[in-house]
């Protein structure tokens, strides 16, 4: 449905699934052509676990990429959105 809300648990570091120390964190979503769609974080975050809600209801169906950087850690994953 166009009301899709995907919860992204943004921290996947180690087995604790949490940010183990304060770090500069960025979390951005891009379309398949590399255009930035949204920035959730671009700031220093304290240790802990964070979640964001991604409301894709205004986006067309397609493949999107999200990129998480926390300190020296980097993760890039694909998301498939189908209306």
């Amino acid at each position: 449905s166009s009301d899709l809300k995907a919860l992204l648990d943004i921290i996947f570091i180690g087995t604790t699934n949490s940010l183990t120390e304060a770090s500069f964190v960025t979390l951005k979503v891009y379309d398949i052509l590399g255009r930035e769609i949204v920035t959730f974080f671009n700031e220093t975050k304290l240790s802990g676990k964070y979640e964001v809600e991604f409301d894709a209801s205004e986006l067309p169906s397609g493949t999107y990429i999200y990129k998480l950087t926390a300190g020296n850690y980097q993760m890039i994953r694909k998301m498939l959105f189908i209306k």
Side-chain angles (χ1 to χ4, degrees):
S1 96
S2 63
D3 296 323
L4 172 74
K5 293 184 192 246
L7 291 176
L8 300 176
D9 181 358
I10 70 155
I11 305 302
F12 295 93
I13 301 171
T15 58
T16 61
N17 291 333
S18 64
L19 188 60
T20 57
E21 60 186 34
S23 298
F24 191 81
V25 176
T26 60
L27 176 59
K28 297 183 179 190
V29 176
Y30 301 89
D31 67 13
I32 198 67
L33 299 176
R35 295 179 295 218
E36 187 176 316
I37 302 298
V38 65
T39 297
F40 290 107
F41 297 117
N42 193 30
E43 62 194 0
T44 299
K45 290 289 191 185
L46 299 177
S47 62
K49 188 173 181 176
Y50 297 88
E51 291 182 351
V52 297
E53 190 171 295
F54 180 42
D55 180 358
S57 62
E58 300 298 318
L59 296 175
S61 296
T63 302
Y64 294 87
I65 309 295
Y66 65 94
K67 179 180 178 182
L68 168 69
T69 304
N72 294 326
Y73 176 81
Q74 183 172 305
M75 177 182 69
I76 301 171
R77 297 284 189 268
K78 291 182 188 178
M79 296 185 291
L80 182 59
F81 174 57
I82 302 171
K83 287 189 175 185

